[in-house]
């Protein structure tokens, strides 16, 4: 049986579609209640319906790096469900493709703001509002690109490398009451990653020893495990989810 999350409450950022929605769905199926966030209210409303309605999920629309949105989300989650046990920092952006030195200072600041500084802010809010007193678990969604040089992914890869180190640092600093771990997926079939495989999926997947690209459920199950008591002796770690492609040096 999958480890139960019955009675737990989680915030999942960037969860109107793709990996985030897959994670939220998995947590609800294991008994948790969730608050999902994303920029646009309409797809979030559809996500809540898909997750079983307001008895199981609520949504707060806003930008992941907006302090007012962050504070509202944490406050509404606790107000609605009475607690906040888990945080999944899933939101990530990659608005530019190319070498690091081709990225403007403004673009780099935006990428780091969403992919690194926002997870810090979300974690601090969850810590202050609930986890410091009651404990909890955090999972950061990083990337295989954060573990090695990643052609074309530039500052995105740098931001995910920083997120992986942040995971280790917070795992140390917040122990023993709060566990902090990360997952580092390779290419997962979502709209966000579509440019990396669209029109050539079979050729891209051929480099993966397990013979296929990832799907959101591959990430969702791992995140649920890292939030559950089955991983109670794991913190500060990054779990690579890559179909074996890193064994042969690929992304």
């Amino acid at each position: 049986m999958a480890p139960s999350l019955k009675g737990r409450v989680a915030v999942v950022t960037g969860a109107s579609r793709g990996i985030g929605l897959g994670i939220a769905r998995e947590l609800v199926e294991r008994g948790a209640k969730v608050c999902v966030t994303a920029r646009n209210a309409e797809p979030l409303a559809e996500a809540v319906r898909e997750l079983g309605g307001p008895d199981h999920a609520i949504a707060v629309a806003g930008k992941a790096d907006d302090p007012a949105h962050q504070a509202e989300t944490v406050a509404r989650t606790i107000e609605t469900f009475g607690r906040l046990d888990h945080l999944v920092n899933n939101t990530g952006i990659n608005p530019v493709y190319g070498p690091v030195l081709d990225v403007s200072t403004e673009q780099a600041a935006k990428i780091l703001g969403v992919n690194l500084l926002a997870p810090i802010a979300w974690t601090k809010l969850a810590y202050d509002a609930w986890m410091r007193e009651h404990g909890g678990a955090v999972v950061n969604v990083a990337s295989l690109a954060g573990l090695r040089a990643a052609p074309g992914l530039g500052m995105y890869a740098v931001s995910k490398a920083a997120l992986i180190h942040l995971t280790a640092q917070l795992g140390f600093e917040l122990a023993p009451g709060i566990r902090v771990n990360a997952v580092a997926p390779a290419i997962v079939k979502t709209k966000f990653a579509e440019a990396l495989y669209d029109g050539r999926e079979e050729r891209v997947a051929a480099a993966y020893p397990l013979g296929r690209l990832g799907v959101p459920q591959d990430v969702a199950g791992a995140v649920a495990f890292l939030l559950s008591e089955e991983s109670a002796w794991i913190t500060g770690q990054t779990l690579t989810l890559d179909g074996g492609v890193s064994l042969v040096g690929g992304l």
Side-chain angles (χ1 to χ4, degrees):
M1 292 181 61
S4 173
L5 295 172
K6 187 177 175 68
R8 306 287 183 84
V9 174
V11 167
V12 184
T13 69
S16 63
R17 66 186 187 192
I19 290 174
L21 180 56
I23 291 169
R25 185 185 301 113
E26 182 71 19
L27 300 187
V28 168
E29 288 177 356
R30 297 189 188 205
K33 298 182 187 299
V34 299
C35 175
V36 292
T37 80
R39 291 186 62 174
N40 299 314
E42 187 174 336
L44 275 177
E46 177 57 35
V48 168
R49 287 191 290 271
E50 182 178 329
L51 293 169
D55 289 341
H56 302 279
I58 62 170
V60 182
K63 296 180 180 179
D65 58 342
D66 176 9
H69 168 63
Q70 296 162 356
E72 179 190 4
T73 300
V74 170
R76 283 190 54 191
T77 300
I78 294 176
E79 177 184 325
T80 303
F81 296 127
R83 57 193 298 152
L84 176 51
D85 305 283
H86 304 310
L87 170 66
V88 181
N89 287 307
N90 172 68
T91 300
I93 61 168
N94 185 27
V96 290
Y97 184 86
V100 170
L101 297 186
D102 288 348
V103 178
S104 71
T105 300
E106 293 76 14
Q107 290 170 327
K110 182 63 176 178
I111 293 168
L112 291 171
V114 173
N115 294 0
L116 176 66
L117 300 182
I120 295 174
W122 283 102
T123 303
K124 178 171 172 50
L125 282 166
Y127 176 80
D128 289 342
W130 182 265
M131 292 185 185
R132 171 165 37 194
E133 182 176 352
H134 304 280
V138 177
V139 174
N140 297 318
V141 179
S143 171
L144 186 61
L147 293 169
R148 61 186 65 236
L153 297 180
M155 279 304 303
Y156 174 80
V158 170
S159 72
K160 292 300 187 176
L163 184 62
I164 288 167
H165 188 81
L166 174 69
T167 298
Q169 189 69 31
L170 290 179
F172 169 74
E173 293 181 359
L174 300 184
I178 301 165
R179 296 184 302 105
V180 184
N181 291 291
V183 292
I187 297 176
V188 177
K189 292 173 63 176
T190 64
K191 187 173 180 60
F192 179 80
E194 197 171 41
L196 299 175
Y197 67 87
D198 188 37
R200 53 197 175 97
E201 180 180 341
E202 185 174 340
R203 178 161 56 89
V204 175
Y208 286 61
L210 292 186
R212 64 174 177 85
L213 303 182
V215 294
Q217 181 56 34
D218 293 319
V219 181
V223 170
F225 164 72
L226 289 172
L227 294 176
S228 77
E229 289 304 312
E230 288 202 346
S231 63
W233 210 43
I234 302 173
T235 198
Q237 305 304 305
T238 296
L239 178 59
T240 301
L241 310 172
D242 69 351
V245 73
S246 61
L247 301 175
V248 291
L251 283 177

